[in-house]
Amino acid sequence: MDSSRFVHRRKPDIPVIGPRAPDKKQHIHEVSVKSIELSKVIRLLEDPLTVNLKERHLFVLKKLLKRCQIGFLLKELTGIARILNICAEKVTDHPEYQPIFCEALHICRLPFLKEKSSDELNYAQDVIEFLSHMGCLMRVSDAEVRQHIVESVKAFYSSVAPKLLPDGLQPTSPGYRLQLLERSDLAQTLLLSMAALENQPGVKLQLLQTLQILSSSSDMNCASILQAGGAETICLHMNQPDPNGQVLFHSSEILWNLLERGSTEVTAQLSSMECVISLKEAFLHQLINGFRHSDLQLRNDLLVITTLIAGNPNSLLIESLFAKQLVVYATFPELKSHNPLVSNLKLSYNNEDLKMKKMLLNLLVLMSKDLAALQLYKEERVLLAVLMLVRPPAASPERRSASRQWSSAQQEEVQLQALATLCSLAPIMLEDYMSCQGNAVLLLLLDWCVAQDAFFGQGPSSPVAEGRGRRKAQMRHCIRVLRSVTSSGEESVNQDLCDQGTINQLLGILMQMEASPDEDDLVSLEIKSDIQLILSALCERDMHRKELFGSEGVEMAVHFLKKGSDKFYSGLGHNKLILSTVDCVWSCIVGCYTTEDYFLAKEGASLLMDLLSSSPRCLHCNVLASLLELCDNPNALSHILSWRDSRGQTAPRFLLQLWMDEEEELKVTRDQDGGIADPQRPILGVYQQEDPQLSFPANVPSAAVLELSENLRSKVYSIFCKLGFHDLPGLSRKHYVTLSVVRRYLDFKVGEVWEEVSRELGLDGVRPTTPDEEALSAVCKITEDTARKVAAEQRSILELQEKEDISEEQLMYTEIKSHWKQKELTAKSWDSYVSRTSNYEILKEVKAQREEYVESSRPKPEHEEAAVHPAELILGKVMSVERTGSSGPAGVKLTLARTSIKASGQDQATPTTQDPEYFSTVKD
């Protein structure tokens, strides 16, 4: 009971505070008396003159324990530890001390008492030493004493404070002793004492229960137990005679607790030959003799521990013959065997047996990392048993097989686990896989998965995300197995798949899934991308298979390319699908003119360019590689050159922009116009210059060579080699500046490699021969001269651009000036018109001047006949009006266009036309 509540309850009984002071002093005096008495007891027990006074010892100890019935004080723990140690030494020769000793251990179950709040901190080290000393008391051979010690430690986790405590004393906090126990050696000492409990099974069981509590409550306790080799010790003692099976149960629980907090160290301790054999005996005993549900659970727990050991490369499962027995059990009951291990083995096909079956299949995968295990698998026909589990129900034998006794939901789980196992085993056991007709089994399963009129169980392993009741889970794992098999590159396996029509079958499944409106989840996208990877692996090196891929495959690739990369970062797997589609184009279409031409007819090249322009940078390398391979087809160049993006950008312009972005990413030195700034390093990036100057072995690519595969410049250069470097549409002068570098990329790269060779020779202390040294110097000089020529070419391009800009600017200003001149003339003409219409005198003068001019402009007849002909009529049209500053009509200057019109009767067959004649009406 909480002491604070006890004090609070007593306050109403004492209305005056003053009289309590003497009581407190009296209590302090009593406590000091107790301390003095404790020291007297220790002196009485240790003094050579009184060491043999057994009756007096017993009397004093009983009196002391009677006063400590409510618990030990923190400040007395050191003395109590000395007293317990003395009693432990006397118990062996004097059994009379045993009841006193057990009573003292019984008091240790109670919480320690404190007088002040600071006592917990001040006496923490004393508590740690006292708890460690309790573990050392296990050296006493008396079974009752050991049982009291173990029960006292167990009581630490369930002890309750006494209800009545004297004033001034309080129990320590509930977690105080447990926290200090973690820092003591109690758990480690209790573990080491197991070796002395061979003839005391009851105490041993109690000790295992205590260790189970310690290991489940604290990581520090587990670390202390492991430091003393706890996992190995527990494992070696788990098979001792025990009619109730409690020792094995608690041992497995302790191992579980240790594995949860330090799996690596635990598996290392359990990987010894003795531990593996001990686990094998325990598992076989539970497998054969266990029938209760708890026995089956314990069997599965031991199998999980074995699974964790199998993950350790240093485990001795094969050497201990445990692996051989596990393989036999894994193939039971699919394969008939006369092995005595399974002759009397019967499965009840409940959930615990299902878990065991799945764990055995998982063990096959873990043990397959050892080559010796593969030979064992061949001997026990493991792959045949796994394929029997994989077969669809329609293709399986009749219900004579024991596997047919699984329920539909359980069979589905076993089938999925078998597929996962086959995905790991088939690529490393291809010979057995082919001999068991693995391809045929998987293709039959694939047909069964896509059948519309079939239905399979809705087991717990088929969640809605994987298509519960729709066999999407089976299809997913089946496709995974096919992908793992085809990616191994074994030609016989791939040829067998193609002979069975796998290409058309997979294309049909892919388009069938794509036609479904709800097939855009994570699992469906994984299946689609895996199918495309399988097709790529089948068609990559065989022209005939590319022809089998044909128009149907091209339609599929075009369909997925049209989706673009908008969902690339959706997190569902669209990024993998896009990459697998591009890989499918490169492996299944490029290289076969029939499929290439059909792909180009379907605007495949334009779709690749669309994907290149809209995809993130991480995808550019793959798309450019496919586009480069496609450029070997002469028909592809026109498609690429005619391509335009949404902003009207041409393919050459976009590729050069990629080049510029790549050089900006590499921090290549360029001037403000994009030209070469350093002729000695025309294409070298800053990061490559900052790399340490190392010498590479002959079989390792140097930095200059490795750089080719790490960025896009080599691919862009290769594409331009196909497109050409002249008469490219949509390029500005800035792009031509970049194009001049692209055109010389190979020359610059060759010079960079030779410069690197020369530098490495210097680092290795090798001096080339004189002709070689001159050749190296010449190559480096030629590269630098080429860079200077390209830089000069770039400057000329920029100068020409500048002249064109100036010419365009002058033309623009001329047009502006002419426009303003026309505006002025229009304004003057309007002013003249206004003056003529508003001033009658001016109008008369203008008219008179016009008549006078017309009369004077008429030609004189040269002979009489000419006088007979009527004169030509001269019409004038006002072209412009200007003011000269004079007053009156003389101040107006008109520009007229004169046109002569013959009178009727004149010969019209030979009309004459004259250029307009401009004249002024202003007199000199």
Short mmCIF file of all heavy atoms in Angstrom, two decimals, residues 330-331 334-335 357 361 364 380-393 395-397 401 403-404 411 414-423 425-427 429-445 478 481-482 485:
data_model
loop_
_atom_site.label_atom_id
_atom_site.label_comp_id
_atom_site.label_asym_id
_atom_site.label_seq_id
_atom_site.Cartn_x
_atom_site.Cartn_y
_atom_site.Cartn_z
N ALA A 330 9.65 -31.58 -46.07
CA ALA A 330 9.12 -30.57 -46.99
C ALA A 330 8.45 -31.20 -48.19
O ALA A 330 7.51 -30.64 -48.76
CB ALA A 330 10.24 -29.63 -47.43
N THR A 331 8.93 -32.36 -48.64
CA THR A 331 8.33 -33.03 -49.80
C THR A 331 7.20 -33.98 -49.41
O THR A 331 6.63 -34.64 -50.28
CB THR A 331 9.40 -33.82 -50.55
OG1 THR A 331 10.01 -34.76 -49.64
CG2 THR A 331 10.47 -32.89 -51.10
N GLU A 334 3.59 -34.94 -50.82
CA GLU A 334 3.49 -34.90 -52.29
C GLU A 334 4.21 -36.08 -52.93
O GLU A 334 3.72 -36.64 -53.93
CB GLU A 334 4.08 -33.58 -52.82
CG GLU A 334 3.18 -32.37 -52.58
CD GLU A 334 3.17 -31.94 -51.13
OE1 GLU A 334 4.23 -32.06 -50.47
OE2 GLU A 334 2.11 -31.50 -50.65
N LEU A 335 5.37 -36.44 -52.39
CA LEU A 335 6.14 -37.54 -52.96
C LEU A 335 6.06 -38.75 -52.03
O LEU A 335 6.18 -38.63 -50.80
CB LEU A 335 7.61 -37.13 -53.12
CG LEU A 335 7.89 -35.97 -54.08
CD1 LEU A 335 9.39 -35.71 -54.14
CD2 LEU A 335 7.34 -36.25 -55.46
N LYS A 357 4.02 -26.39 -43.10
CA LYS A 357 4.28 -26.64 -44.51
C LYS A 357 4.89 -25.41 -45.18
O LYS A 357 5.86 -25.51 -45.95
CB LYS A 357 2.98 -27.04 -45.21
CG LYS A 357 3.15 -27.44 -46.66
CD LYS A 357 3.94 -28.73 -46.79
CE LYS A 357 4.00 -29.21 -48.23
NZ LYS A 357 4.78 -30.45 -48.36
N LEU A 361 8.77 -24.97 -46.77
CA LEU A 361 9.06 -24.48 -48.12
C LEU A 361 9.97 -23.26 -48.07
O LEU A 361 10.87 -23.11 -48.92
CB LEU A 361 7.75 -24.13 -48.82
CG LEU A 361 6.84 -25.30 -49.19
CD1 LEU A 361 5.50 -24.80 -49.73
CD2 LEU A 361 7.50 -26.21 -50.21
N LEU A 364 13.55 -24.28 -47.62
CA LEU A 364 14.22 -24.71 -48.85
C LEU A 364 14.91 -23.55 -49.54
O LEU A 364 16.01 -23.71 -50.10
CB LEU A 364 13.19 -25.36 -49.79
CG LEU A 364 12.54 -26.65 -49.31
CD1 LEU A 364 11.49 -27.11 -50.32
CD2 LEU A 364 13.58 -27.75 -49.09
N GLU A 380 16.51 -35.74 -53.38
CA GLU A 380 15.17 -35.87 -52.80
C GLU A 380 14.07 -35.36 -53.73
O GLU A 380 12.91 -35.30 -53.32
CB GLU A 380 15.11 -35.11 -51.47
CG GLU A 380 16.07 -35.63 -50.42
CD GLU A 380 15.77 -37.05 -50.00
OE1 GLU A 380 14.59 -37.46 -50.13
OE2 GLU A 380 16.70 -37.75 -49.56
N ARG A 381 14.41 -34.99 -54.97
CA ARG A 381 13.43 -34.55 -55.97
C ARG A 381 12.54 -33.41 -55.45
O ARG A 381 11.32 -33.42 -55.53
CB ARG A 381 12.56 -35.71 -56.43
CG ARG A 381 13.34 -36.88 -57.02
CD ARG A 381 12.41 -38.02 -57.40
NE ARG A 381 11.74 -38.55 -56.22
CZ ARG A 381 10.69 -39.36 -56.26
NH1 ARG A 381 10.20 -39.74 -57.43
NH2 ARG A 381 10.13 -39.80 -55.14
N VAL A 382 13.22 -32.42 -54.89
CA VAL A 382 12.50 -31.30 -54.28
C VAL A 382 11.71 -30.52 -55.32
O VAL A 382 10.55 -30.14 -55.10
CB VAL A 382 13.51 -30.38 -53.55
CG1 VAL A 382 12.86 -29.05 -53.19
CG2 VAL A 382 14.04 -31.06 -52.32
N LEU A 383 12.33 -30.28 -56.50
CA LEU A 383 11.67 -29.46 -57.50
C LEU A 383 10.39 -30.13 -58.02
O LEU A 383 9.41 -29.45 -58.34
CB LEU A 383 12.63 -29.17 -58.66
CG LEU A 383 12.61 -27.73 -59.20
CD1 LEU A 383 12.85 -26.76 -58.06
CD2 LEU A 383 13.64 -27.54 -60.27
N LEU A 384 10.41 -31.44 -58.12
CA LEU A 384 9.21 -32.15 -58.55
C LEU A 384 8.09 -31.97 -57.54
O LEU A 384 6.92 -31.74 -57.92
CB LEU A 384 9.53 -33.64 -58.73
CG LEU A 384 8.36 -34.55 -59.10
CD1 LEU A 384 7.74 -34.10 -60.42
CD2 LEU A 384 8.79 -36.00 -59.15
N ALA A 385 8.41 -32.06 -56.24
CA ALA A 385 7.38 -31.86 -55.22
C ALA A 385 6.82 -30.44 -55.24
O ALA A 385 5.61 -30.23 -55.09
CB ALA A 385 7.98 -32.17 -53.84
N VAL A 386 7.68 -29.47 -55.45
CA VAL A 386 7.23 -28.08 -55.50
C VAL A 386 6.33 -27.86 -56.71
O VAL A 386 5.29 -27.18 -56.63
CB VAL A 386 8.43 -27.13 -55.51
CG1 VAL A 386 7.98 -25.69 -55.69
CG2 VAL A 386 9.24 -27.27 -54.23
N LEU A 387 6.70 -28.43 -57.87
CA LEU A 387 5.87 -28.28 -59.07
C LEU A 387 4.52 -28.97 -58.90
O LEU A 387 3.52 -28.53 -59.48
CB LEU A 387 6.60 -28.83 -60.29
CG LEU A 387 7.76 -27.97 -60.80
CD1 LEU A 387 8.55 -28.71 -61.87
CD2 LEU A 387 7.25 -26.64 -61.35
N MET A 388 4.47 -30.04 -58.13
CA MET A 388 3.19 -30.70 -57.86
C MET A 388 2.27 -29.79 -57.06
O MET A 388 1.06 -29.76 -57.26
CB MET A 388 3.42 -32.02 -57.14
CG MET A 388 4.07 -33.09 -57.99
SD MET A 388 4.31 -34.64 -57.09
CE MET A 388 2.61 -35.13 -56.85
N LEU A 389 2.86 -29.01 -56.17
CA LEU A 389 2.06 -28.05 -55.41
C LEU A 389 1.62 -26.87 -56.26
O LEU A 389 0.60 -26.23 -55.97
CB LEU A 389 2.86 -27.55 -54.21
CG LEU A 389 3.17 -28.57 -53.11
CD1 LEU A 389 4.11 -27.96 -52.08
CD2 LEU A 389 1.89 -29.03 -52.44
N VAL A 390 2.38 -26.57 -57.30
CA VAL A 390 2.10 -25.42 -58.15
C VAL A 390 0.98 -25.71 -59.14
O VAL A 390 0.24 -24.81 -59.55
CB VAL A 390 3.39 -24.98 -58.88
CG1 VAL A 390 3.11 -24.02 -60.01
CG2 VAL A 390 4.36 -24.36 -57.88
N ARG A 391 0.82 -26.95 -59.55
CA ARG A 391 -0.14 -27.29 -60.59
C ARG A 391 -1.54 -26.83 -60.22
O ARG A 391 -1.95 -26.91 -59.06
CB ARG A 391 -0.15 -28.80 -60.82
CG ARG A 391 1.09 -29.33 -61.49
CD ARG A 391 1.07 -30.84 -61.57
NE ARG A 391 2.27 -31.37 -62.22
CZ ARG A 391 2.56 -32.66 -62.28
NH1 ARG A 391 1.74 -33.55 -61.74
NH2 ARG A 391 3.67 -33.05 -62.88
N PRO A 392 -2.28 -26.36 -61.23
CA PRO A 392 -3.68 -25.98 -60.96
C PRO A 392 -4.51 -27.21 -60.62
O PRO A 392 -4.13 -28.34 -60.96
CB PRO A 392 -4.13 -25.33 -62.27
CG PRO A 392 -3.22 -25.88 -63.30
CD PRO A 392 -1.91 -26.12 -62.63
N PRO A 393 -5.64 -27.04 -59.96
CA PRO A 393 -6.44 -28.21 -59.56
C PRO A 393 -6.84 -29.10 -60.73
O PRO A 393 -6.85 -30.32 -60.61
CB PRO A 393 -7.66 -27.58 -58.90
CG PRO A 393 -7.19 -26.25 -58.43
CD PRO A 393 -6.17 -25.79 -59.42
N ALA A 395 -5.20 -29.81 -63.33
CA ALA A 395 -4.07 -30.57 -63.86
C ALA A 395 -3.44 -31.47 -62.81
O ALA A 395 -2.51 -32.19 -63.09
CB ALA A 395 -3.01 -29.63 -64.41
N SER A 396 -3.97 -31.46 -61.58
CA SER A 396 -3.40 -32.27 -60.52
C SER A 396 -3.95 -33.68 -60.57
O SER A 396 -5.02 -33.92 -61.15
CB SER A 396 -3.71 -31.63 -59.16
OG SER A 396 -3.10 -30.37 -59.06
N PRO A 397 -3.28 -34.66 -59.95
CA PRO A 397 -3.82 -36.01 -59.87
C PRO A 397 -5.12 -36.01 -59.08
O PRO A 397 -5.54 -35.00 -58.52
CB PRO A 397 -2.72 -36.79 -59.15
CG PRO A 397 -1.49 -35.97 -59.34
CD PRO A 397 -1.93 -34.55 -59.42
N SER A 401 -4.00 -38.07 -53.80
CA SER A 401 -2.87 -37.38 -53.20
C SER A 401 -3.30 -36.78 -51.88
O SER A 401 -4.39 -36.25 -51.73
CB SER A 401 -2.37 -36.29 -54.15
OG SER A 401 -1.36 -35.54 -53.50
N SER A 403 -2.23 -34.16 -50.57
CA SER A 403 -2.34 -32.71 -50.63
C SER A 403 -3.75 -32.26 -50.95
O SER A 403 -4.10 -31.12 -50.73
CB SER A 403 -1.37 -32.16 -51.68
OG SER A 403 -1.71 -32.65 -52.96
N ARG A 404 -4.57 -33.15 -51.47
CA ARG A 404 -5.95 -32.78 -51.78
C ARG A 404 -6.79 -32.66 -50.54
O ARG A 404 -7.96 -32.32 -50.61
CB ARG A 404 -6.58 -33.81 -52.73
CG ARG A 404 -5.82 -34.06 -54.01
CD ARG A 404 -5.53 -32.78 -54.74
NE ARG A 404 -6.75 -32.08 -55.08
CZ ARG A 404 -6.82 -30.80 -55.38
NH1 ARG A 404 -5.72 -30.08 -55.35
NH2 ARG A 404 -7.96 -30.24 -55.69
N GLN A 411 -5.05 -24.67 -49.57
CA GLN A 411 -4.33 -25.07 -50.77
C GLN A 411 -3.84 -23.85 -51.54
O GLN A 411 -2.75 -23.86 -52.13
CB GLN A 411 -5.23 -25.92 -51.66
CG GLN A 411 -4.50 -26.48 -52.88
CD GLN A 411 -5.39 -27.35 -53.73
OE1 GLN A 411 -6.56 -27.57 -53.39
NE2 GLN A 411 -4.85 -27.84 -54.82
N VAL A 414 -0.70 -22.67 -49.78
CA VAL A 414 0.42 -23.57 -50.08
C VAL A 414 0.90 -23.36 -51.50
O VAL A 414 2.11 -23.35 -51.79
CB VAL A 414 0.01 -25.03 -49.84
CG1 VAL A 414 1.11 -25.97 -50.30
CG2 VAL A 414 -0.29 -25.26 -48.36
N GLN A 415 -0.03 -23.16 -52.42
CA GLN A 415 0.33 -22.95 -53.83
C GLN A 415 1.14 -21.67 -53.99
O GLN A 415 2.15 -21.63 -54.72
CB GLN A 415 -0.93 -22.90 -54.68
CG GLN A 415 -0.66 -22.83 -56.17
CD GLN A 415 -1.95 -22.73 -56.96
OE1 GLN A 415 -2.89 -22.05 -56.56
NE2 GLN A 415 -2.00 -23.44 -58.08
N LEU A 416 0.72 -20.60 -53.31
CA LEU A 416 1.45 -19.34 -53.40
C LEU A 416 2.85 -19.47 -52.79
O LEU A 416 3.82 -18.93 -53.33
CB LEU A 416 0.66 -18.23 -52.70
CG LEU A 416 -0.65 -17.81 -53.38
CD1 LEU A 416 -1.38 -16.79 -52.52
CD2 LEU A 416 -0.39 -17.24 -54.76
N GLN A 417 2.94 -20.17 -51.67
CA GLN A 417 4.26 -20.37 -51.06
C GLN A 417 5.16 -21.22 -51.94
O GLN A 417 6.37 -20.98 -52.05
CB GLN A 417 4.09 -21.02 -49.69
CG GLN A 417 5.37 -21.10 -48.88
CD GLN A 417 5.90 -19.73 -48.48
OE1 GLN A 417 5.13 -18.87 -48.06
NE2 GLN A 417 7.19 -19.52 -48.63
N ALA A 418 4.57 -22.21 -52.60
CA ALA A 418 5.35 -23.05 -53.51
C ALA A 418 5.84 -22.24 -54.71
O ALA A 418 6.97 -22.43 -55.18
CB ALA A 418 4.50 -24.23 -53.98
N LEU A 419 5.02 -21.34 -55.20
CA LEU A 419 5.44 -20.48 -56.32
C LEU A 419 6.59 -19.57 -55.88
O LEU A 419 7.55 -19.36 -56.65
CB LEU A 419 4.27 -19.64 -56.80
CG LEU A 419 3.24 -20.36 -57.68
CD1 LEU A 419 1.99 -19.51 -57.87
CD2 LEU A 419 3.84 -20.71 -59.04
N ALA A 420 6.50 -19.02 -54.68
CA ALA A 420 7.60 -18.18 -54.18
C ALA A 420 8.88 -19.00 -54.03
O ALA A 420 9.99 -18.52 -54.32
CB ALA A 420 7.20 -17.55 -52.85
N THR A 421 8.74 -20.26 -53.58
CA THR A 421 9.91 -21.14 -53.47
C THR A 421 10.49 -21.46 -54.83
O THR A 421 11.71 -21.44 -55.03
CB THR A 421 9.51 -22.43 -52.74
OG1 THR A 421 8.93 -22.11 -51.47
CG2 THR A 421 10.71 -23.34 -52.56
N LEU A 422 9.61 -21.74 -55.78
CA LEU A 422 10.07 -22.07 -57.14
C LEU A 422 10.78 -20.89 -57.79
O LEU A 422 11.71 -21.07 -58.59
CB LEU A 422 8.86 -22.49 -57.98
CG LEU A 422 9.15 -23.08 -59.36
CD1 LEU A 422 9.94 -24.37 -59.25
CD2 LEU A 422 7.85 -23.33 -60.11
N CYS A 423 10.36 -19.68 -57.46
CA CYS A 423 11.00 -18.49 -58.03
C CYS A 423 12.48 -18.41 -57.65
O CYS A 423 13.30 -17.92 -58.42
CB CYS A 423 10.26 -17.24 -57.53
SG CYS A 423 10.80 -15.71 -58.30
N LEU A 425 14.31 -21.31 -56.51
CA LEU A 425 15.01 -22.56 -56.81
C LEU A 425 15.17 -22.83 -58.29
O LEU A 425 16.18 -23.39 -58.72
CB LEU A 425 14.27 -23.73 -56.15
CG LEU A 425 14.19 -23.75 -54.63
CD1 LEU A 425 13.52 -25.03 -54.15
CD2 LEU A 425 15.57 -23.61 -54.00
N ALA A 426 14.17 -22.46 -59.11
CA ALA A 426 14.20 -22.80 -60.53
C ALA A 426 15.43 -22.23 -61.25
O ALA A 426 16.08 -22.95 -62.03
CB ALA A 426 12.91 -22.33 -61.21
N PRO A 427 15.82 -20.96 -61.05
CA PRO A 427 16.98 -20.45 -61.79
C PRO A 427 18.29 -21.16 -61.45
O PRO A 427 19.20 -21.19 -62.28
CB PRO A 427 17.04 -18.97 -61.37
CG PRO A 427 15.68 -18.64 -60.89
CD PRO A 427 15.17 -19.89 -60.27
N MET A 429 18.43 -24.42 -60.46
CA MET A 429 18.27 -25.86 -60.72
C MET A 429 17.53 -26.04 -62.05
O MET A 429 16.52 -26.74 -62.15
CB MET A 429 17.49 -26.51 -59.58
CG MET A 429 18.15 -26.40 -58.21
SD MET A 429 17.20 -27.21 -56.90
CE MET A 429 17.30 -28.92 -57.42
N LEU A 430 18.06 -25.41 -63.10
CA LEU A 430 17.39 -25.42 -64.39
C LEU A 430 17.30 -26.82 -64.99
O LEU A 430 16.33 -27.15 -65.68
CB LEU A 430 18.12 -24.47 -65.36
CG LEU A 430 17.95 -22.98 -65.07
CD1 LEU A 430 18.81 -22.16 -66.02
CD2 LEU A 430 16.50 -22.56 -65.19
N GLU A 431 18.30 -27.62 -64.75
CA GLU A 431 18.26 -28.98 -65.30
C GLU A 431 17.09 -29.77 -64.72
O GLU A 431 16.33 -30.42 -65.47
CB GLU A 431 19.59 -29.68 -65.01
CG GLU A 431 19.68 -31.07 -65.63
CD GLU A 431 21.03 -31.71 -65.38
OE1 GLU A 431 21.94 -31.02 -64.87
OE2 GLU A 431 21.18 -32.91 -65.70
N ASP A 432 16.92 -29.71 -63.43
CA ASP A 432 15.78 -30.40 -62.80
C ASP A 432 14.47 -29.74 -63.20
O ASP A 432 13.45 -30.42 -63.37
CB ASP A 432 15.93 -30.38 -61.28
CG ASP A 432 17.12 -31.19 -60.82
OD1 ASP A 432 18.23 -30.64 -60.82
OD2 ASP A 432 16.94 -32.36 -60.49
N TYR A 433 14.51 -28.44 -63.35
CA TYR A 433 13.31 -27.71 -63.75
C TYR A 433 12.83 -28.16 -65.12
O TYR A 433 11.62 -28.38 -65.34
CB TYR A 433 13.61 -26.20 -63.74
CG TYR A 433 12.53 -25.32 -64.29
CD1 TYR A 433 11.42 -24.99 -63.54
CD2 TYR A 433 12.62 -24.82 -65.60
CE1 TYR A 433 10.42 -24.17 -64.05
CE2 TYR A 433 11.64 -24.01 -66.11
CZ TYR A 433 10.55 -23.68 -65.34
OH TYR A 433 9.56 -22.86 -65.87
N MET A 434 13.76 -28.32 -66.06
CA MET A 434 13.38 -28.75 -67.40
C MET A 434 12.98 -30.22 -67.42
O MET A 434 12.06 -30.62 -68.15
CB MET A 434 14.53 -28.50 -68.37
CG MET A 434 14.84 -27.03 -68.60
SD MET A 434 13.45 -26.14 -69.32
CE MET A 434 13.33 -26.96 -70.91
N SER A 435 13.65 -31.05 -66.63
CA SER A 435 13.29 -32.47 -66.62
C SER A 435 11.90 -32.70 -66.03
O SER A 435 11.23 -33.67 -66.37
CB SER A 435 14.34 -33.25 -65.81
OG SER A 435 14.35 -32.83 -64.46
N CYS A 436 11.47 -31.80 -65.17
CA CYS A 436 10.12 -31.91 -64.58
C CYS A 436 9.09 -31.13 -65.38
O CYS A 436 7.94 -30.97 -64.92
CB CYS A 436 10.14 -31.39 -63.14
SG CYS A 436 11.18 -32.33 -62.02
N GLN A 437 9.48 -30.64 -66.60
CA GLN A 437 8.58 -29.89 -67.46
C GLN A 437 7.99 -28.67 -66.73
O GLN A 437 6.78 -28.43 -66.72
CB GLN A 437 7.46 -30.78 -67.99
CG GLN A 437 7.96 -31.93 -68.85
CD GLN A 437 6.82 -32.79 -69.38
OE1 GLN A 437 5.68 -32.65 -68.97
NE2 GLN A 437 7.15 -33.68 -70.31
N GLY A 438 8.89 -27.92 -66.14
CA GLY A 438 8.45 -26.76 -65.38
C GLY A 438 7.75 -25.71 -66.21
O GLY A 438 6.76 -25.11 -65.77
N ASN A 439 8.24 -25.48 -67.44
CA ASN A 439 7.59 -24.49 -68.30
C ASN A 439 6.15 -24.86 -68.61
O ASN A 439 5.25 -24.01 -68.58
CB ASN A 439 8.38 -24.34 -69.61
CG ASN A 439 9.68 -23.59 -69.41
OD1 ASN A 439 9.83 -22.81 -68.46
ND2 ASN A 439 10.64 -23.83 -70.29
N ALA A 440 5.92 -26.12 -68.90
CA ALA A 440 4.56 -26.56 -69.21
C ALA A 440 3.63 -26.38 -68.02
O ALA A 440 2.47 -25.95 -68.16
CB ALA A 440 4.58 -28.02 -69.66
N VAL A 441 4.13 -26.69 -66.82
CA VAL A 441 3.31 -26.54 -65.62
C VAL A 441 2.95 -25.08 -65.40
O VAL A 441 1.79 -24.74 -65.11
CB VAL A 441 4.06 -27.11 -64.40
CG1 VAL A 441 3.29 -26.83 -63.12
CG2 VAL A 441 4.27 -28.61 -64.56
N LEU A 442 3.91 -24.19 -65.57
CA LEU A 442 3.64 -22.77 -65.35
C LEU A 442 2.70 -22.20 -66.40
O LEU A 442 1.83 -21.38 -66.08
CB LEU A 442 4.96 -22.00 -65.35
CG LEU A 442 5.90 -22.27 -64.17
CD1 LEU A 442 7.20 -21.51 -64.34
CD2 LEU A 442 5.24 -21.89 -62.85
N LEU A 443 2.85 -22.62 -67.64
CA LEU A 443 1.95 -22.12 -68.68
C LEU A 443 0.53 -22.64 -68.48
O LEU A 443 -0.45 -21.92 -68.75
CB LEU A 443 2.48 -22.52 -70.06
CG LEU A 443 3.82 -21.87 -70.46
CD1 LEU A 443 4.25 -22.35 -71.84
CD2 LEU A 443 3.72 -20.35 -70.44
N LEU A 444 0.39 -23.88 -68.00
CA LEU A 444 -0.94 -24.39 -67.67
C LEU A 444 -1.55 -23.59 -66.52
O LEU A 444 -2.75 -23.27 -66.54
CB LEU A 444 -0.86 -25.87 -67.29
CG LEU A 444 -0.67 -26.87 -68.44
CD1 LEU A 444 -0.48 -28.27 -67.88
CD2 LEU A 444 -1.86 -26.82 -69.40
N LEU A 445 -0.73 -23.28 -65.53
CA LEU A 445 -1.22 -22.46 -64.42
C LEU A 445 -1.62 -21.07 -64.90
O LEU A 445 -2.62 -20.50 -64.44
CB LEU A 445 -0.14 -22.37 -63.35
CG LEU A 445 -0.47 -21.51 -62.12
CD1 LEU A 445 -1.66 -22.08 -61.37
CD2 LEU A 445 0.74 -21.39 -61.20
N CYS A 478 3.30 -16.60 -60.66
CA CYS A 478 3.65 -17.39 -61.84
C CYS A 478 4.51 -16.58 -62.81
O CYS A 478 5.51 -17.06 -63.35
CB CYS A 478 2.38 -17.90 -62.52
SG CYS A 478 2.67 -18.96 -63.93
N VAL A 481 8.02 -16.29 -61.53
CA VAL A 481 8.84 -17.47 -61.78
C VAL A 481 9.34 -17.46 -63.22
O VAL A 481 10.53 -17.72 -63.49
CB VAL A 481 8.05 -18.75 -61.48
CG1 VAL A 481 8.89 -19.98 -61.81
CG2 VAL A 481 7.62 -18.79 -60.02
N LEU A 482 8.46 -17.17 -64.16
CA LEU A 482 8.87 -17.13 -65.57
C LEU A 482 9.92 -16.05 -65.80
O LEU A 482 10.86 -16.25 -66.58
CB LEU A 482 7.64 -16.88 -66.45
CG LEU A 482 6.66 -18.05 -66.60
CD1 LEU A 482 5.43 -17.61 -67.38
CD2 LEU A 482 7.33 -19.22 -67.30
N VAL A 485 13.25 -17.33 -64.50
CA VAL A 485 13.80 -18.40 -65.33
C VAL A 485 14.37 -17.84 -66.63
O VAL A 485 15.47 -18.19 -67.06
CB VAL A 485 12.72 -19.46 -65.60
CG1 VAL A 485 13.18 -20.43 -66.67
CG2 VAL A 485 12.39 -20.22 -64.33
#
